[in-house]
Amino acid sequence: MKKLLIYSCLTLTSLMGYAQLDLNLDAGSTHQEEQAQSVEGTNKNKLFNKAKDFVDKKWVKNVDTLYIQNPKQVWRVSLDSYLSQSDLLMRSTIDGTNVGAEGDVRCKPQIRTDVSTSVGVRVGYKGLAAHYAFNVAGDKGRDFSLSSSGTWYCVHFRLHEFKTKEPQVKLEGNFYPDDGGDPKWESQTHKWILTSPIKAKTVVLDGYYIFNKRRFSYKAAYRQSVIQKRSAGSWLAGAMFYYSDFRFDDVANADMIFLMDNVGRIKQWEANIGAGYGYNFVPAKGWLISAMAMPMVTFYNRVKTYSYDSYYRECALDEEYRDPEEVAPEDRYFNKMGTDAHNNRIRLNFNARLSLTYNFDRYFVNLNGQFYNFGYHHKNNSGRLNDWFANVAIGVRL
């Protein structure tokens, strides 16, 4: 019995020793893993700091500090209020016999949105900025933008969407009088109230190269990430890409689609290059007035149209003519006929910007605006879009 007890104690002691050895080995392994993780974390921090130092050096590199000041605060937050308007004019030519006229009739639907008011917020870090705004008055819509600016460049992306239900349609041709007789030239303008709204989306991506990067700052006028201390100007080279999608392809809009030569949706792609001049005028400390004008050449202009057949078209083309209103709702069909794409010829374009800024302490107030003009032509359809906005921002540097 004593021998068994002694043997059991020796066995238990041995097992405890092995367990303690295992614990020490595990602790050593855990300690080594922690050291490895610490080294890895240190390497990541070093890499991040090197990247940050590189950006910081590029941020102030080749800048004449007598003209351009880099604030200590690198973050910016501002509240914005936008005023904007889009004016789309479309033109088509249709057979006048289908609308009570002799010969061709020119149809000019014009979609001019109300001046819309939107509110939003812009957040920026050095040369980077993001902005989002939504309409609170006028036609429904939203606006989103991203930008990146350096000493020698600026790139800006903008997405604008809106809807409208009240286009004006102008008809010009030799119309037959209601009481009979010979046709007479008339210009008729009708306000169309649509059940289904016209949906529009525009995307603009533009960028500029600044030649006088030491003394002229684009971002001082339009991003407020730096401060222009003295007046200076610069020649600019620019490029702009534009995309738009206007659609009213709904059975409720069959009458308007017929007047648009059966077109119910229009897509457009444009690529532009140009050169211009920008000038930053500093009339007093803290103030900055900036203007930029840039003629551009549209070297790529592609239009794609979508055509539709409908009960309205069938009634209008019927030799005996049937009133579309008499067609039962369940018999009012609407079908896609096909698409057609076309490249337009080279044309001239224009891009202009204006900005007013006041800086005081860590705060700034900015008013800026921009005007775009785009055009297209395809067979019996042509048109142009004027799009402008004015923005008021109150912000702080953090």
Side-chain angles (χ1 to χ4, degrees), residues 93-327:
T93 303
I94 62 175
D95 186 356
T97 58
N98 301 316
V99 291
E102 182 183 57
D104 291 338
V105 170
R106 286 182 292 177
C107 178
K108 298 180 180 180
Q110 184 171 16
I111 305 167
R112 178 180 293 167
T113 67
D114 293 335
V115 178
S116 301
T117 303
S118 61
V119 295
V121 61
R122 185 185 303 273
V123 178
Y125 174 76
K126 293 189 176 180
L128 303 176
H131 174 262
Y132 180 80
F134 58 92
N135 287 8
V136 295
D139 292 306
K140 295 181 179 179
R142 61 174 180 167
D143 201 287
F144 174 74
S145 65
L146 292 171
S147 65
S148 175
S149 305
T151 55
W152 56 271
Y153 77 96
C154 178
V155 179
H156 179 244
F157 168 86
R158 182 191 179 207
L159 167 65
H160 180 50
E161 296 179 335
F162 65 89
K163 299 179 182 179
T164 182
K165 289 185 176 181
E166 299 183 0
Q168 286 190 341
V169 179
K170 185 177 183 180
L171 301 175
E172 295 178 338
N174 294 308
F175 291 91
Y176 288 98
D178 294 336
D179 55 358
D182 296 332
K184 296 180 180 179
W185 173 263
E186 289 186 38
S187 178
Q188 306 174 358
T189 301
H190 307 274
K191 190 171 185 178
W192 226 279
I193 306 299
L194 301 178
T195 304
S196 177
I198 297 173
K199 302 174 184 178
K201 177 191 295 184
T202 62
V203 175
V204 178
L205 175 64
D206 55 345
Y208 310 101
Y209 178 84
I210 302 165
F211 288 91
N212 186 12
K213 59 185 178 181
R214 284 179 52 80
R215 296 182 175 180
F216 173 86
S217 175
Y218 181 95
K219 56 190 176 183
Y222 300 100
R223 297 296 173 263
Q224 289 73 54
S225 56
V226 300
I227 299 173
Q228 185 86 37
K229 298 168 62 178
R230 293 186 179 184
S231 301
S234 176
W235 290 101
L236 306 169
M240 177 185 296
F241 173 79
Y242 165 79
Y243 166 78
S244 66
D245 184 4
F246 295 94
R247 59 186 308 175
F248 39 97
D249 50 344
D250 190 282
V251 64
N253 300 330
D255 51 352
M256 182 176 174
I257 291 173
F258 177 71
L259 292 178
M260 283 299 298
D261 197 25
N262 307 316
V263 172
R265 186 176 184 181
I266 302 171
K267 286 185 177 182
Q268 183 185 7
W269 297 262
E270 273 195 18
N272 308 265
I273 56 173
Y277 192 79
Y279 190 77
N280 285 349
F281 174 57
V282 181
K285 183 178 179 180
W287 288 94
L288 173 61
I289 302 173
S290 179
M292 183 197 77
M294 181 175 293
M296 308 191 84
V297 176
T298 303
F299 65 90
Y300 179 78
N301 190 347
R302 183 173 178 82
V303 177
K304 185 176 183 180
T305 58
Y306 297 72
S307 300
Y308 297 87
D309 188 17
S310 68
Y311 74 96
Y312 190 97
R313 179 173 179 269
E314 179 186 358
C315 292
L317 297 179
D318 194 322
E319 292 183 359
E320 298 181 357
Y321 181 74
R322 290 183 296 158
D323 187 352
E325 297 296 329
E326 296 179 357
V327 178

